[in-house]
Amino acid sequence: SSTLTVSELASKLHKDASEIIKHLLFLGVMATKNQDLDDDAIELICSEFNVEVEKEIILEDTDFDKYVQEDDEKDLIERPAIVTIMGHVDHGKTTLLDAIRESKVTAGEAGGITQHIGAYQIKVDNKKITFLDTPGHEAFTSMRSRGAQVTDIAILVVAADDGVMPQTVEALNHAKAAEVPIIVAVNKMDKETANPDRVMQELTEYELIPEDWGGETIFVNLSALQHEGIDDLLEMILLVAEVEELKANPKASAFGTVIEAELDRGKGSVATLLVQNGTLQVGDAIVVGSTYGRVRAMVNDLGRRIKSAGPSTPVEITGLNEVPQAGDQFLVFKDEKKARQIGEARQQKSIQENRSEQTKVSLDDLFEQI
Ligand code: GTP
Ligand code: MG
C-alpha cells in the first residue's frame, strides 16, 4: 500500500528530492524522483531526518473489524436479549410495546419519567430485556443493509381477527433471513371475531409450526389493549433468550449500533446508541458511522444521567461532531487521536462513496436519455 513518491515525501520533509535519493542510495536503493515509496521506506527515511511519522490512516483501514479485539472466553457474561416487534399494519405493535413498558417500567422504577429514546429496557424476574422501539421492519431493512444486526429475538404480532397479512409475511421473511428466532404474539384475543387457530394454520405455510402441533415455534395469545398475556410473552422471551445463550464482554471497547439520531438546537448531535459489546463510558473517544467525538453526556431510557452503559443497554449520547444515521455502527477507541484519525478517514471515505454513487446515477440517467 504505497502512499508517496520520492518528490512528494521530499516536499513534506522540506528537503530536496536529491537528498532523499542520496539517502536511499546509501541504503542500497536506486530511486528516481517519481518512484513510489512503501510505508517502510518512508518510515526509514523519516527516521534518518529525525522526523517522527504519524501514519495517516488509509481508507482501507477504516473498517471497525480491524480494531475490534477478539473477546477472551472467560470475560463473557450473560447479556439481556434485544427484542424487535414486527407485524402487519394495525395489528397492535405499538399497543404491545406500550403495554410491556407500562407493565414494568412505571411500576418498578418510581420517579423515572420514560422518555422516547427509541428503545427501552425492562426487568422481569431480575433479568433484563431490551426492546427496540423502531418499526421492526426498519430495524431489519435499513440496519441490516448497513451490516448491523441488532435483534436477538423477533416478536411477530398477528391480529387474531385479521390473520396473516402481506406485511406479516414480509416481517417473518426478514427475521428468517437474519436467522433470528421468532415468537408469534397472537394479539386482539379480546375480540369476538378472534380466531387464533386460523393464525396458527396460516403460519404453518411459512414453517412456523406451533409446539402443540409438533413444531418449534412459540405462540402466545394475548390482548395488548387489555394487558392480558403480557407476562406470558415476557416469560417466553426469557426462555428463548436462555436457549440463545446471549453473551458479551463488558470489559471490551464499547461497540454497537445507532438506533436513531437527530440534531438538537441546544445539545447538538443527539444519538441513541445500543451498546452491543463492551461498556460505554462518559468521556470515551468514539467513532460513530462517519463521525466521531467524545461522549459528553449519557442518558438512559428513563431520562436519567448515567456514567456507564454495559452490553444490550440503549443510551442517548451527546458529544458527536455530526449527526450519524440509524444503523451506523460505533466503536470506542482508547486514544482520542486515533478516534479522530479514523473518524476523519471514514468521513472522507463516505464522501467519496457518495460522490461515486452520484456519478453512477448521472451516468445511468445519461444512458437512459440516449
Ligand atoms: P402501525 O404502527 O400503524 O403499523 O400499527 P400498530 O401495529 O402499531 O397497531 P397499533 O398498536 O397502533 O394498534 C392498531 C389499533 O388496534 C388501535 O386502534 C389499537 O387500539 C387496536 N388494538 C391493539 N391491540 C389490541 C387488542 O389487543 N385488542 C383490541 N381490541 N384492539 C387492539
Ligand atoms: Mg405502530
Side-chain angles (χ1 to χ4, degrees), residues 197-229:
D197 281 347
R198 193 187 68 173
V199 175
M200 291 199 264
Q201 187 63 55
E202 287 171 343
L203 283 175
T204 58
E205 272 182 51
Y206 304 93
E207 286 106 42
L208 295 180
I209 324 258
E211 288 178 312
D212 290 351
W213 297 359
E216 285 175 358
T217 306
I218 296 173
F219 281 67
V220 180
N221 291 349
L222 50 88
S223 165
L225 195 66
Q226 303 193 343
H227 290 216
E228 266 171 49

Side-chain angles (χ1 to χ4, degrees), residues 281-344:
Q281 319 257 9
V282 169
D284 276 348
I286 189 172
V287 179
V288 186
S290 49
T291 183
Y292 63 96
R294 242 181 205 289
V295 179
R296 194 191 308 143
M298 201 150 66
V299 165
N300 70 7
D301 57 339
L302 297 169
R304 293 203 181 107
R305 283 231 177 190
I306 51 172
K307 288 214 164 75
S308 69
S312 298
T313 311
V315 283
E316 191 182 86
I317 68 151
T318 53
L320 300 177
N321 289 342
E322 281 172 56
V323 182
Q325 285 182 278
D328 277 349
Q329 292 179 319
F330 72 82
L331 181 64
V332 162
F333 289 83
K334 287 199 179 74
D335 177 4
E336 183 163 21
K337 201 165 81 184
K338 188 103 178 179
R340 195 192 62 225
Q341 282 181 326
I342 292 168
E344 275 168 4

Side-chain angles (χ1 to χ4, degrees), residues 4-14 20 37 42 45-46:
L4 292 174
T5 65
V6 169
S7 48
E8 281 166 347
L9 178 63
S11 78
K12 272 188 195 283
L13 292 171
H14 306 290
I20 308 280
L37 296 171
I42 292 168
I45 292 165
C46 288

Side-chain angles (χ1 to χ4, degrees), residues 90 92-95:
D90 274 353
K93 300 177 293 290
T94 303
T95 310

Side-chain angles (χ1 to χ4, degrees), residues 32-46:
T32 63
K33 275 197 327 194
N34 298 322
Q35 195 118 1
D36 281 331
L37 296 171
D38 64 16
D39 289 352
D40 292 342
I42 292 168
E43 214 167 331
L44 209 57
I45 292 165
C46 288

